[in-house]
Structures are given as structure tokens and as C-alpha cells.
Amino acid sequence: MESLAGEGVLEDEKQQVNEELLLKQITDLVINQRLLSGKANAEDRVVKFVHPEELKGLVELSLGGSSLNHVQILELCKQAVEYSVKTNHPKFLNQLYHACDPVGLAGAWLSDALNTNLYTFEVAPFFMMVEYAILAHLRGFIGWEDGDGIFAPGGSISNMYGIVLARYKKFPEVKSKGMSGIGELVAFTSQEGHYSIAKAAHWMGLGTDNLIIVASDSSGKMIPAELENKIVKALEQKKLPFFVNATSGTTVLGAYDPLEPLAFVCKKYDVWLHVDAAWGGGALVSHKYRFLMDGMELVDSVTWNLHKMLGAPLQCSAFLTKHKDILHRCNSASATYLFQTDKFYDTRYDTGDKSVQCGRKVDAFKLWLMWKARGDRGLEEMVDNAFECAEYFSRQIAQRSEFRLVLSEPNCTNVCFWYIPHQLSNCQESPEWWEQISKVAPAIKKRMVEKGSLMIGYQPLPHKNLVNFFRLVIPCQPRPTHEDMDFVIDEIERLGCDL
Amino acid sequence: MESLAGEGVLEDEKQQVNEELLLKQITDLVINQRLLSGKANAEDRVVKFVHPEELKGLVELSLGGSSLNHVQILELCKQAVEYSVKTNHPKFLNQLYHACDPVGLAGAWLSDALNTNLYTFEVAPFFMMVEYAILAHLRGFIGWEDGDGIFAPGGSISNMYGIVLARYKKFPEVKSKGMSGIGELVAFTSQEGHYSIAKAAHWMGLGTDNLIIVASDSSGKMIPAELENKIVKALEQKKLPFFVNATSGTTVLGAYDPLEPLAFVCKKYDVWLHVDAAWGGGALVSHKYRFLMDGMELVDSVTWNLHKMLGAPLQCSAFLTKHKDILHRCNSASATYLFQTDKFYDTRYDTGDKSVQCGRKVDAFKLWLMWKARGDRGLEEMVDNAFECAEYFSRQIAQRSEFRLVLSEPNCTNVCFWYIPHQLSNCQESPEWWEQISKVAPAIKKRMVEKGSLMIGYQPLPHKNLVNFFRLVIPCQPRPTHEDMDFVIDEIERLGCDL
């Protein structure tokens, strides 16, 4: 009987998924494979790269009629880990996101398990109150005692909230009448602004031609006088300026637009000023670096992606506005099956109608939990360390002839630079030479990914006439060190020495 | 020394969060608190209701300078569970979502831990291939051999994709020129259509006045002849019809619009037909019920929320279209920092530029994993069971004088009905009588939530002149039984017997 029982267990594993066991195994997999921020070993690879067509041969991707058993499901999870990029690796310095805070992850797991949808107090009592609390705390860093906000599924959609509110404030009839009768609305963003503003201009019915591009200075900051010129010109052409997108921490150069003078211009012409602080917003928690966003309290709305610099789990994008009631007035549709007025509790907490979504994931809780665990001071210390590492990295490569900084000092925690191979140093810097340089970053990138030792992004910046250069993005999670910075420099030299 | 080491551990717990331990404790909490689908005990409460202001006194919501220790963080997680609605409870029959599939949850936990952002093959190799595979499988159920798709953060945004693609297909210049020069575009939806279409009409710059409402029949289905009349009338007024939103499984009555005749009308007038199958799309996996969506293969695009009927973890909304290249052409902005053309691998798998988002959460994997574990046949069996329970429930209440069905037969797995208290039965059904009835559902709802025994939604349907009625929504997760259905009937009688 004993052995039969044993076989029974084995049979079970082969027959069907034991769901509680699977969750425990996932937990063990995450821990044992060192997937948590700060846990990767030096000898781990950032990525085990396999080409798309190869991956199709390695993993049974297709779906069909019958079910898989427990062992097979666990095997697929292991394959997911094996062939995924390790964003928690200290050498994943590729994008504006990275590892997530493990306490935030615990929060995400718990709210995922509760499978809560955030639109009325009735269905999400705890999480609704948490969203209120964390949004109020974030507004405090901006310097607003009042106002409103909402979590959106990413910065692009947060930015859309800004455009839609700006349009509604100036032309409330747009909600019912649409764009066709109002006239030629125009919005403004800098050359360095995120491409989501262009996508939004299309979606919102504005059209990308009506998104007017404002020049930036050599460090990537929008030039307030240029903005004013463009607004004046638009007014002369009988166009209707309604929205300016400034950026705190541009995607490539990490530039912080000068908010005070931009706010002055926007106020003068009665135009809504939105700040896309998706990346650079983290500076707000630092006493040392918040000067980068001086004037923040003067703007109308802000996008702040907490999943970027502060390391909340993806997606965690706060949209914030200083205007208290506009989110609801602008977006409400008062669906009677959700937002009944004859409920037995205080329905002011049924905030779902502020959203353009119906169902909405709980993004607030994971952020709130990690903030509780770190405190303002813990997050500040992380941000200060990341900025300090960027400064250290810049100083180090400034001293080496094989490297050249795109900007002499980093704006934010992204550092942009070229690697100049030996055979190209001491040559005349002709267009042909730059053409050669443009091929260096892609070649080194290929090698680093195939080796799995490092991931750093590269890109050109055509409007600044800059060919492909590396953009190192220094995260808060996992906590970077000077050693990590030195490794990056040495590894690029190793990978590029024979180019 | 032994005791000192022991104290050390205790001190640690009081000092800082042990992150690996916390994840294990979250796993235990989820399992031990029976939060997984199918695990709730009969004696568990669906909700322990506390009013908003009371909750503020029970939980320390505010955030501040210093950090909390391990024990305090775990305590907050326990409070989150205590004061949250148990969506996994078999008596949470309140909304179009419910518990999630535990295998899907395992997938969500793993992709959360990997913190992957889905926009290029480079950063998401495994998950990008998984998204391709599951989207292709979903298209197969619609009957499309080809086409395209993307996961969006919820049905509202999926529906927006449909509107934006429809507009771009007919007026490609809208991407650059915007809405102002094109003329008066008009879109159509039924009276029963989801309110996200109205919200989208505002956001897209169309305006809610240009969303033309089409009448539905007594069971809630859009009337094709009415649609044609409205299109003809709009054309006579020199308006430009470009988009029709049909619904498979309306929010309240669960009606399935007749897709074949609607597709015929749309083809005749060259208008894009989108189907909001967010709720009812689950019928596609059932040989028995897919007739409800006959003609599905004729439409242009579909929203299918797998987190609704099929029980994938929130959010899991597929947008699908039969037009192969349009998603990319419509939405691309070709950001050079992400979508470089000089990469060393096949960049056709860098699909992020199809999206209106920049970063995007991995919603595909959790669905793919649960589909692998259930197979087509397992999901089909779940859907068939839910439909059968809806039919059983309807038959049972049809036999009781205290209940009255809104529709004689349910369209989908939602069942709408009134409870008629004794003292109101056998009275003349005057406007005053209906006024009395309108107060019954809110009163019973208050009692069921305070008792925590059951959660069912209620709403009026003003355009059909129907006062507050209950809408029971029968889920696939956890698997409902006839006993569950009987409990609902008996419990409403118990709660309402003295009204």
C-alpha cells in the first residue's frame, strides 16, 4: 500500500497541475534562480541569447486541445526563466527600467492573487484607500497640497491623460462635439520629448502635424524662448495652442527641461503645461537633486513612472494634476451598472469614473508597500547613489581616450558616450570617420549580448546629428556600485579592442 | 551563543525586510487564507465590509520618512487580505471578472518577478514569442488564418485600438492631419454597448455626439435594420460613417449582437465592424455556444478579455484584427532608441511599435501558461458548465413567485432578475409599485454585503425603462455548481423576506 500511495503522488504530478505546489515552486524558482534585485551572482549571464527562429525549435509554443501535466507546466516556467533577459542583473543597463524592488514584488503578487479590479470602493475597499494615500504622498513631493491623480498602465497613457485634460479644460465642448468644429488645435513638445506624445497626437485626433516641435539646447533641454516663438507663430496663424509637454529626464540624454521659465510662458498664453517626468521624476525624492525640477509645483499635470527610476514593479505610472475635479468631469460616463448613487456607503470613493479604463489593475499597492518598507529616506538614498554612480562613470570615461562623452556632464542617471576603437583614434574626424563610428556600438552590442556579459542600449540622435552612441542607464535597483561602473568600462574595451 | 544567534534573527525581523522570506510568506498567506480559485470554504465571508472612514482608522495608510520592519510589512499584507473582497469566493458573482486561474496566477507571478517589458525581442525574447503564439491561437477561434493582434491593458483600450484602426484605414491622413480637416466622422454602437466606446469617442476627438446610438431589441441585441437606417441618415446629412461597435455579451443583459447581418450592413457601406467581445468572447472556445458569435470571421477587429469569462488574471485583454499590417502602419513612430534597423537579429520580432504604449506588461504569458495547463478542451468544459449553471439558475427562479426574470432566457452567463418581496406580490403593478421595487435590490445588497454572505450587482436599465434589478454573473473560476446557484436563491429570500 505504501508504494502504491507513493506512485499515486507521482501519478498525480504527471496527471494534473497541483496549483498550490506550483505557486511554491514558482517562489522557489524565483529565489533559487536569483531573480530578485541584488541577488544575481557575478558569474550569471544577463541573457542567454537565442535567435527567434531557434527559440521556436527549443520551446513548444503552440497551443492545442489537451492539457499538460504538472511537470510539463513547471518545465515551461523554467524555460521562461532560461530564455528571458535577467533585468535584475547589475549589468542590465539597457533601458529606463530594470529590476524591481522585491517588497514591491511581494505587493504585486498579493494583489495579483486577490485579482482585484480597481473601480469602486465596493469591490476594492482596501486598495482604493491605498491609492488615495500614495497619490497624495506623491503630490506632496511635487508641492501640491491638493489636486487629483490616477494610476495608468504606463507613461504613454499617463501622457494622454495630460493632453485630454488640457484640451477639455480649454474646450470643454470637445467631449461632446469632438475636434472637428473647434479649430486647429496645436500642442508643443521638444525635439527630445518622448514618442508617446506623437502617438497620442494621432490617437487624440490632433494629428502629428499639429504637434509642434520645439528646439532643445546642446544638452537636450527645451529652450523657453523657442517655445514662446512657436506659440506666437501658431497664434499668428490662427491656430489654438492648448498643451505643452515638458520633460524631466529625456529618454536618451536625460535632460531636465527648465520648468520655471516654461511655466511662465505657458501662463502668459494660457496653455496647459504637462511634465513627462516618467523617467526623471525619481529626483523629486532627493533633497540633493530635486533642484532639477524646480518649478514643478507650477505645472498643471505630471506623468511619473515609479517603475522606472524608483524600481516599482512594472507597470506603475502615476498621472497627477493640481486641478482637483477635472479628472472626473472630463472622463466620467456615469455607467449605471457601476456607479449607482443609491449605494449604502460614501460613493465619493467610487473613483473608477475618473479613468478612461473600466477595469483597472491595482498598481498602487505594490508601490505603497515598497514605500512603507523603504521610507522616503531609503528611496532618497537609492536615488542619490544612482546619480553619484552616473557622475563617477562620466569622470572615469572622460579620462580614457577610447571613450568620448556625448555631454560633458550627465543630466540624469543616463550617460551617453561613444567608444572609439584604436584604429580610429588619431584619425581625421570626417563624415566617413563618423560613419565608421556609427557601426561600433552595434558591433559591440552584438558581442556583449552573445557573450551575455552586459546589456547597454545604443541609438543615434539624428536631429542633433549624432551617430550611434551608447546610453548607459543607471538604475536604483539593483543598487549599483563603482565596481559595476568599472566593469562596464573594462568590458566595452575588451569587446571592442580588435574593432 | 545559541541564544544570541536566535535573538539576532529576531532583531533582523524587527529591523529590516527579509525579502526572500517575505515572498515565501506571501505565498503561504495566499494558500493558507484560501485565496486561490476553488479554495474558499463555505464559512468564509466574501467580504468583511468596513466603511471608508472606518478603514482609515484601522490601517495606517499614510507614508513618511522612515521605513517599516519585516513584521510590520507582513502585517500590512495581512490587513490587505482581511479588508479585501474575496474574488475567489464562489459567492462573488458581482462583476464580469472573478477569481483567476491559479496556473495563470503562477504565470503572472513569474513574469512579474522577471519584470519584463514587452516591446523588443532583445529585452523580451521568450515572452515575445509567447505573445505571437497565443495571439495566433486566439485568432484561430475567430476563424482567421492570418491577421494581427496585441495585448492591451483592458477592454476599454482594446476598443480604442478598434476605433483608431478603423479611422486610419478610411482616412489615413488622420495620423498627420488630425480630425479637423476631414469632415464629420460618425461611429455607431448599440444602446447596450459598453461605456468605454463613449469615453473613447471623447478621447479620440470624435465627440460623444458623433457616437450614434442604435436601438436594441427586447433581449438587448442590436437591430441590423436600425443600424442601416442610422447609417443612411448619417450619409444623407453628409456625415462620414467609419466604425460600428457590435457586442458579444453585453455588460448587463449579456446579449450577443447578430454579427452576420451586421457585417452585411457594414460591408455595404464600407464601414469597419468591431466586436466588443470582452465579456462574451469565452463562448468561442465552446462547440456548443460558439453559434452565438456566428459571423465572427467576417468582422474587422475584436476585443476579447481573457480575464473575464476564461479567468486569466487581470489584466488580459486581446485586441485582434484580420488586417495583417495595419496595426504597425497605424501606430508606428519608429523611435530610434528602441527600434533600430541595424540590430544583429531579425527585427520583425520587435513588435512594440504596433502599440500605442511604449512599455507594456507581459499579459500573454499567464494566459499561455494556463491554456497549456487546461487545453482547449478544459476551457471549453469550464465555459459549458458556466452556461449550464446560468440556464439552471434561470429555470429555478422562473418557478418561484418571489422572483421575476428580466429576460425569459439568459443570453450569456449573466442572469438578470427582480426579487419581489411578499408584501409587494399580488399588488397592481403601477409606477408606484415599480418605484418600490427599485429600492429592493439596494436594500438586499446592503444586507448581503454587511453579512458578507454574497455579492451580486444591481442596476437599472433606464433606456429599457427597467428599474433596479439584480445581475448575477456566473464565472468559470471558481467552477460554479447547482448548489451555489441554489444558495443564491435561498440567500436572497432570507435577506429579503421581511422587506
Side-chain angles (χ1 to χ4, degrees), chain A residues 119-122 338-339 343 345 347-353:
Chain A
Y119 48 72
T120 61
F121 181 83
E122 178 186 328
L338 285 178
F339 307 110
K343 289 180 183 171
Y345 61 86
T347 55
R348 284 176 303 174
Y349 292 94
D350 288 356
T351 56
D353 216 15

Side-chain angles (χ1 to χ4, degrees), chain A residues 389-428:
Chain A
C389 282
E391 290 156 13
Y392 173 82
F393 183 87
S394 293
R395 284 198 305 275
Q396 296 305 307
I397 66 170
Q399 293 164 12
R400 302 215 193 180
S401 60
E402 304 90 333
F403 291 88
R404 185 181 299 184
L405 285 163
V406 174
L407 302 174
S408 57
E409 282 187 25
N411 285 303
C412 187
T413 76
N414 18 3
V415 185
C416 298
F417 62 92
W418 290 278
Y419 175 75
I420 317 280
H422 281 294
Q423 67 165 31
L424 287 170
S425 60
N426 303 318
C427 297
Q428 206 201 338

